[in-house]
Amino acid sequence: MKNLYTRFQSKKLFVYILSVFFSYNLLAQDVEAGFFYTVSGGCDSVEVSFTDTSLYSPISWQWNFSDGTSTTEQNPTKVFIGEGSYSVSFIISNGLSTDTVEMIDFVTVYASPEAPDIGPSPRTIVILSNGTSSFAGLLEVEPSVSGNIISWFYEDGTLLLENSTVYDTGIDENTPTGYYSFVVKEGHETSGGICYSDPATITLDVARCPALTPEGDDFYYCIGSSDPITANVSAASGSTGSKISWFTYDPVGQTGAGIADLTDDNLVYTSFLNTASAGSEVVYAAEYDMVNNCWSAGLPVMISIVDNPEVEITPQNIEIAMNQTISINAIPSIEGGTGMWSGIGVAEITETSALFTPEAEGSVSASYIYTSSAGCESEEQFFDITVTAEEILIQQDSLSVTTVPGELEMTLLDYDLSSITKLTVSGEIQALDIYFMRDSLPNLAVIDISQATIVAFEGDVEEEVLKVFMSFDAHSLPSNAFIGKETLQEIYLPESILAISDGAFENCSALSFIVLNTESPELIEVSIEAFTGVSTESCAVVVPEGTKDDYGAAEVWKDFLKIGESVVEITGVDDIQYSITVVQFEDELIIKGISSEATVFFISLDGKKVMSLEILGVTSISTSMLSHGLYTLQIISDEGFYHKKLLIQ
């Protein structure tokens, strides 16, 4: 029995020694720190839950946070409060060794976004007796900060539609009258979810008015006109309205028969404008329904006094040889009108140009009168043409030509090439024509090949003293197309362009305006050396509407700091289209194509003129002082009246 007990004691001692041995070795192993975390929240504060995943039996934990707090819990939960990025340092020990893990700026707390600009609220929605409405049922709200999202909610805060700037309210001609509210918030994506602004509520007042909006047009008068300055409208077909009156505002949905603040119960409004100078006035005509005591939506009518057009005849001091053809151009300050040439004789004539080929020496006296679409006449422009027996090169700074591949030099044979500063080319061109523009027009500043097609080329090209065989694909700007062209300021490229090769605009140091007409940057293969020596800070790249973000992310184009969208056609007098270019950048508008003094207005949705300024020529306008939202851009000048909707973000 004693021997059995002794053997048991010996065995117990052996197990104890083994236990101590293995515990010591486990503690002797260097610890390795590690953890994972989860994040919730993200607006103004975030909550981070840490879980220790360290190895080799740590017995102490130290968490140090960049906001100055710390804890010795093994698996703490930490709340970070206040906008900014935060870091953590995690230190562990097993009594024999320590290890540290640091994570810098591992979580970011964002400030709550500002509530979006929802425009006027409440808004009156009028449903007319013919079942139509001025409201299409859609609400649209743009985020105040680029990259944020817009989401829609029920009034109790339940999410209705996430990440959409447009919401279909469902309001149509069958919707009962009353007030309808829609809650919208602006959000920012964070690691802990979407961080939302305070709610903004859009309230729609649905009213039913049997009266229909009157029908009418805008009215334009010439400076010095003797006609009464009036506007007139008529009742819409099928209207049950009692009368039409005039307002300085849109009275839609209002009640009370006698609220007109201009002219009551009259189809004609007489303006306070006079014809001594240019100006405009916007008034509203609305119908009143006596039975329902309700005003229709107001029809905005603009009355404008516009300048008489001015005309420049080019070239000036015309000298030409017998049987030599010259293009005489009339450049009116207002496009879209009609012109009349006199005294030229046999010539190929359009409204604004004439091709004249004299057959005898002597002097020819001619004239030109231009009438704008508003009926305003220019002063008669007289000019003389001297015809000599010997050939004279034509002086012309701005020239438009149509050519065929390889024949641009012949097309310009009769012109003094040093006089041309702007060249517009249509038809078909190839590499030799492009090199001719580069090398033979020493003062060329503006090249417009937007209406030209670049065809394939294969053949010899003179490079300094050598002839080099080259081959270029169709729709491609060849290598070194305009290399070293220091006079080049603006280039307008065709929609069909597929490639811009090495050195195409290398060292074009004055280049400040690149106009692209291609709907996607993915369609154009651009060499990374195409724009070497061009200032990507000051040179503006103009792209089609809706493509700014695509170009801004594309290789080569993303290096340009000024990428804007172009509105090449703006509606003018009598709905005629004018080539006024408006380029919209983040905080800037560039307006081109206006050759005389003009006034620019930014008009808010409620009809207020929130900013106005005088401009002349190519003008840069800062929009940073304007609130985010939709505006009407109005331009009034000697050339006419223009308007365009613009979204300021």
Side-chain angles (χ1 to χ4, degrees), residues 352-402:
T352 57
S353 67
L355 292 176
F356 178 51
T357 306
E359 299 177 352
E361 291 184 74
S363 180
V364 176
S365 294
S367 65
Y368 178 82
I369 293 178
Y370 181 80
T371 304
S372 71
S373 58
C376 305
E377 280 192 356
S378 69
E379 293 184 2
E380 189 171 9
Q381 300 294 307
F382 296 94
F383 57 96
D384 294 324
I385 304 173
T386 301
V387 184
T388 65
E390 57 184 50
E391 184 176 346
I392 298 173
L393 290 177
I394 302 169
Q395 302 281 326
Q396 192 145 341
D397 60 349
S398 179
L399 183 62
S400 297
V401 296
T402 302

Side-chain angles (χ1 to χ4, degrees), residues 536-559:
T536 55
E537 294 183 1
S538 59
C539 182
V541 178
V542 183
V543 299
E545 283 190 275
T547 65
K548 176 182 175 181
D549 291 342
D550 292 338
Y551 276 92
E555 290 299 323
V556 179
W557 302 118
K558 68 182 181 181
D559 296 333

Side-chain angles (χ1 to χ4, degrees), residues 172-187:
D172 58 20
E173 64 275 8
N174 299 313
T175 301
T177 59
Y179 290 92
Y180 298 82
S181 295
F182 303 90
V183 178
V184 61
K185 298 180 184 179
E186 184 164 334

